[in-house]
Amino acid sequence: MPDYLRAARDAGCEPAILEWLAAAQELVVHIPALQAADWAERRVGAHQLSDALAERFTLPGPSECTVIERRVPTRSGELTVMHYRPAVRGSRLAHVAFHGGGFILGSVREMVNDRLWRARAVAGGVDVFDVDYRLAPEHPFPSALDDGLDVLDWLLEHGAEFDIAPDRIGVGGTSAGGNLAALVAMHARDRGVSLDHQILEVPAGSLHAEHDESFRNYRDLADMGGDFSALRAAYLGGHSDTSGPAAPDEITDLAGLPATLLITAELDPLRDSGEIYAARLREADVPVQSWRAPGQLHGSGSLTKNSETARDWQNRVAEFLRSRVALSSAIAS
């Protein structure tokens, strides 16, 4: 039995998580591309693994959500943005989303993202815009951040075409995507743009999380354990201080950031970095809702077919979005 699976069992993880980890281990053996030196080939393998797991462990998204592939002009060329549009009448709330993948993997075309965003759009009553940002190491920091800011600028300019007002746009992301969402929110504030909300799920709150107690305790429960420094180097590339903060813990002024939902997982190496950021936001008088998902790992929030806690996780996000829809609608009227 693999060490991380044994560690999960020793930590008392629920059967759904143990089944997920075991399935992943079985699949990895049959996907040699995961070990490829070429990043493009490795991403093909990661996509194959992700889709196989999502098929088995993530509930399909509702069919009543319309999905439109949009091509958005940015400073680096056109980017793909998947627009998830529920059947909502009148003015809409937008949620700009950033997938996870350690800054080096992930795609808007992965089944897990499609299923979760469909469900979130319908349950939350929001238009989700999932950004296919550029990945490291070919495109190191701040490339992905620039992509996020450019998509936000595009939506601010063109939102009226989708019945979205400029003050009814929020951001969110998971893991590396949570890092990007937090930085986009900071830059938007600094440019005088008032975002409606930010949803940060198991965010990479620090690029030096190996110093945190949660990282030391739970590094054996996630793939990032032995490779975090290499992952950081791949993402930062030639990053210098002049590029600005590369993680939420580097943001010095948190005042004026949008209402926040921040979810951490109990057995996640990145847990402490996320919870420290939530505490700092509160100290800066930012409205914050936070929740530590009990018994959960870094990526187990997607296990909605098998885990009641994962379904609770997704329901909490949808409830937060519904509350933002209700509030913005009340203000508009």
Side-chain angles (χ1 to χ4, degrees):
M1 183 173 61
D3 287 345
Y4 68 83
L5 184 55
R6 181 180 294 112
R9 182 168 293 170
D10 291 344
C13 288
E14 62 177 313
I17 291 178
L18 298 178
E19 184 182 356
W20 173 58
L21 292 174
Q25 184 62 25
E26 292 173 6
L27 288 164
V28 163
V29 176
H30 303 288
I31 307 177
L34 288 167
Q35 307 302 322
D38 178 72
W39 277 103
E41 185 178 354
R42 192 183 305 185
R43 291 185 188 115
V44 170
H47 193 155
Q48 183 180 350
L49 174 63
S50 175
D51 281 2
L53 292 172
E55 178 69 33
R56 183 170 172 181
F57 294 99
T58 306
L59 287 170
S63 59
E64 62 265 31
C65 179
T66 300
V67 183
I68 306 162
E69 180 174 331
R70 303 197 183 278
R71 299 293 294 172
V72 175
T74 71
R75 72 191 77 180
S76 63
E78 286 192 336
L79 281 185
T80 297
V81 174
M82 303 302 289
H83 181 183
Y84 293 84
R85 189 169 175 85
V88 175
R89 294 182 178 179
S91 182
R92 295 166 175 262
L93 183 70
H95 179 76
V96 180
F98 301 92
H99 62 75
F103 305 105
I104 58 175
L105 302 172
S107 164
V108 298
R109 302 189 188 281
E110 288 183 355
M111 183 185 297
V112 64
N113 294 321
D114 179 73
R115 291 187 169 192
L116 292 178
W117 297 142
R118 283 176 182 268
R120 190 162 295 182
V122 172
V126 301
D127 282 40
V128 175
F129 294 83
D130 188 16
V131 181
D132 203 22
Y133 58 87
R134 289 171 294 165
L135 299 173
E138 299 95 322
H139 304 285
F141 179 85
S143 299
L145 175 59
D146 289 343
D147 292 344
L149 291 169
D150 289 348
V151 170
L152 176 60
D153 286 342
W154 169 81
L155 189 54
L156 287 166
E157 181 179 352
H158 295 278
E161 300 170 18
F162 316 122
D163 301 314
I164 296 167
D167 59 350
R168 303 194 73 191
I169 300 172
V171 295
T174 302
S175 189
N179 169 298
L180 293 172
L183 295 179
V184 167
M186 179 205 74
H187 283 280
R189 177 208 59 188
D190 292 349
R191 291 158 43 188
V193 176
S194 296
L195 294 182
D196 178 81
H197 65 269
Q198 59 176 350
I199 300 176
L200 312 178
E201 301 171 72
V202 290
S206 172
L207 297 182
H208 299 275
E210 65 266 43
H211 302 301
D212 293 338
E213 182 180 3
S214 62
F215 195 97
R216 294 193 297 271
N217 289 343
Y218 305 122
R219 62 183 300 165
D220 292 338
L221 294 171
D223 291 339
M224 67 188 76
D227 300 320
F228 199 73
S229 61
L231 184 67
R232 179 173 58 238
Y235 178 54
L236 292 180
H239 167 61
S240 66
D241 291 341
T242 58
S243 299
D249 69 330
E250 299 174 19
I251 303 173
T252 56
D253 180 12
L254 304 184
L257 288 173
T260 302
L261 173 63
L262 198 151
I263 294 178
T264 58
E266 180 183 6
L267 307 178
D268 180 8
L270 301 185
R271 185 195 72 196
D272 288 354
S273 71
E275 294 181 354
I276 290 169
Y277 190 57
R280 291 183 60 221
L281 287 167
R282 288 194 181 94
E283 291 173 0
D285 293 325
V286 174
V288 177
Q289 296 180 32
S290 61
W291 179 60
R292 179 191 288 184
Q296 296 301 294
L297 304 187
H298 184 71
S300 60
S302 64
L303 308 185
T304 50
K305 270 189 181 180
N306 307 63
S307 169
E308 183 64 36
T309 305
R311 290 191 290 271
D312 184 20
W313 180 323
Q314 299 302 323
N315 287 338
R316 286 171 183 265
V317 175
E319 182 179 357
F320 178 80
L321 287 169
R322 289 194 299 270
S323 73
R324 300 308 303 174
V325 170
L327 179 61
S328 60
S329 298
I331 293 173
S333 61

